[in-house]
Amino acid sequence: MSVARQKQFFGISVIVCFVLLFIAAFADLQISNTFINYNSVFGTMFQSFGEFPQYLIFVVSGQIAVAYALKVQETTLFKGLLAFSGLALSGWQLKQYLNEVESYLLSVQSNSDHHKAIGLANSDGATTALSVGKAYGIWIIIFIILTLALQYWFNRLELVRIKQLLVIAIFASLTVWFSLQVNLGLKEIWGRVRPYELNKSQSNYTNWLTINGVNGHMSFPSGHTQAATLLIILSWFFQGKTQKTWWVIGIVYGALMGIARVIIGAHFMGDVVASFFITATIIYIFRILYYQYVIKGQTLGERDKSRLEAGV
């Protein structure tokens, strides 16, 4: 997708998000009370599995580093360090995601066993976990299968494409990391109570414009929505129609996650809309930086080379 088209869509999203945030400033509580359903399968599924894009980008980026290390003609030390670093990043992020999924699924099972709503979960801290043996066994099996599959795919690509993907992976990883840090920082500063943390009279409710300070509450902005919206970044690794398809999928997935978080009572509408907007803005900034300093830089470099060869 061209830069001009991305600017157009980003401009539209800015207008939509501001309108929704204006509505949320006055109607967050009413919207939440209307749509909350702690037994929602839709909300529970997105809560349990939905944050995978945030981890997937790191996993893919690490595997690209491994593929580059195997293909590039450099010293053994460099190849070994790069391959090890790539595997470590990929493996660690996969383990982090699996830990999260295990925690949520065990919460669902516990809720079901105790005749509670299946979607009730503590979004700010895990309370249950699998045994160490089971957890690591599942992780190792999935990691081996994932590594073999991705390396088989990357091995079929030319070195020039792997080099391009490595640069994209660096920008993609920086985008995810920066997005995560901004989201976590705002969560602590805002200190907004989640819908399921409201008291019976709901007197501890504050709108999204209110900064409460660090108090242990982390409703604003939504971490799940931030992680889901990062699926847009996956489109960077593809070309042509496939890139456009994944770009659209990323936007739709981020929106669905936002809806799911409101339904399951983990966030207000203002939390998810702000999260989508902030994350989309960060993605847009890093994508423009990639175009300016990589794509245009390469084009200018080729022009300079042609001029030198022509004696200009």
Side-chain angles (χ1 to χ4, degrees), residues 51-118:
E51 287 195 285
F52 75 88
Q54 177 173 283
Y55 303 96
L56 179 62
I57 301 302
F58 282 129
V59 170
V60 171
S61 297
Q63 293 292 337
I64 289 173
V66 174
Y68 179 82
L70 296 176
K71 281 180 174 289
V72 72
Q73 299 297 319
E74 290 285 352
T75 63
T76 303
L77 177 61
F78 171 78
K79 294 177 68 171
L81 288 174
L82 184 59
F84 176 78
S85 299
L87 285 174
L89 174 64
S90 183
W92 173 253
Q93 290 300 315
L94 176 62
K95 186 66 173 69
Q96 293 296 99
Y97 173 65
L98 292 177
N99 287 346
E100 182 176 295
V101 172
E102 290 163 9
S103 175
Y104 277 119
L105 289 181
L106 288 174
S107 293
V108 170
Q109 182 180 6
S110 176
N111 289 338
S112 179
D113 292 341
H114 292 85
H115 306 289
K116 296 180 180 179
I118 59 173

Side-chain angles (χ1 to χ4, degrees), residues 189-209:
I189 294 172
W190 242 259
R192 192 185 192 190
V193 172
R194 295 177 183 273
Y196 66 69
E197 294 174 329
L198 292 171
N199 55 36
K200 289 184 178 181
S201 64
Q202 299 187 328
S203 60
N204 56 339
Y205 165 80
T206 57
N207 65 30
W208 69 268
L209 293 168

Side-chain angles (χ1 to χ4, degrees), residues 239-281:
Q239 298 173 317
K241 291 183 179 180
T242 305
Q243 184 180 79
K244 293 180 181 179
T245 300
W246 275 109
W247 187 82
V248 173
I249 290 174
I251 292 176
V252 173
Y253 186 73
L256 288 175
M257 174 61 82
I259 295 171
R261 297 305 280 162
V262 172
I263 290 175
I264 208 64
H267 289 283
F268 297 100
M269 187 180 82
D271 302 333
V272 301
V273 173
S275 182
F276 184 93
F277 173 68
I278 293 168
T279 307
T281 300

Side-chain angles (χ1 to χ4, degrees), residues 176-196:
V176 174
W177 180 85
F178 193 82
S179 165
L180 179 61
Q181 296 309 307
V182 170
N183 187 275
L184 291 175
L186 291 176
K187 275 180 174 292
E188 290 196 13
I189 294 172
W190 242 259
R192 192 185 192 190
V193 172
R194 295 177 183 273
Y196 66 69

